[in-house]
Each structure stands twice: as structure tokens, then as C-alpha cells.
Amino acid sequence: MFAGALIMLVEGFGIARLERKYRGRDEGVLDPIEFLSRASLEDIARYSIHAGNAFLGFCVLTIGSIFYAL
């Protein structure tokens, strides 16, 4: 469970760092469509890898919680 939570946390910081690169100072949350229109293909690939790893961390956390409950 701890590993899943740690993976989600680290990947969330990676996503936030990529979004901060393309967000202006006066903007709030970056719209995904706007991110895709501004970002390079390499950054889009990094974003998808971070998002996929965060989802895997969520799966590890969920499975660990189920086994802990049993």
C-alpha cells in the first residue's frame, strides 16, 4: 500500500512539473486540450508515462488495501 501511495505522489509531482512548464503565471489549472496544443511530442509522451505510472500506483494501492482488509 505504501509503495502505491509513494508512486502516485512521485508521478503527481512529475505531472505538475510538466504542466507548470506550459502554464502562464496568471493561469490556474491547465486545460488538457490547451496542454496538448502547447506541448511538444516529447512532453506529451512524458505526461502519458507519468499518468500511466500514477494509475499503476493507484492499482497497487487498491490491491494492497484489499489484501490488508482480508
Side-chain angles (χ1 to χ4, degrees):
M1 286 185 343
F2 178 72
L6 186 63
I7 290 169
M8 287 174 47
L9 180 69
V10 168
E11 296 303 328
F13 282 128
I15 290 171
R17 189 179 63 230
L18 277 173
E19 285 185 349
R20 197 174 325 122
K21 182 177 177 181
Y22 291 100
R23 182 179 47 206
R25 292 203 179 271
D26 57 345
E27 294 181 46
V29 176
L30 187 64
D31 183 34
I33 302 298
E34 190 150 349
F35 173 75
L36 290 174
S37 67
R38 291 182 187 180
S40 67
L41 286 176
E42 182 180 342
D43 285 339
I44 292 171
R46 282 188 184 141
Y47 189 92
S48 63
I49 289 170
H50 283 305
N53 288 343
F55 178 71
L56 288 177
F58 174 74
C59 293
V60 168
L61 179 67
T62 303
I63 291 169
S65 298
I66 290 170
F67 282 123
Y68 182 75
L70 295 176

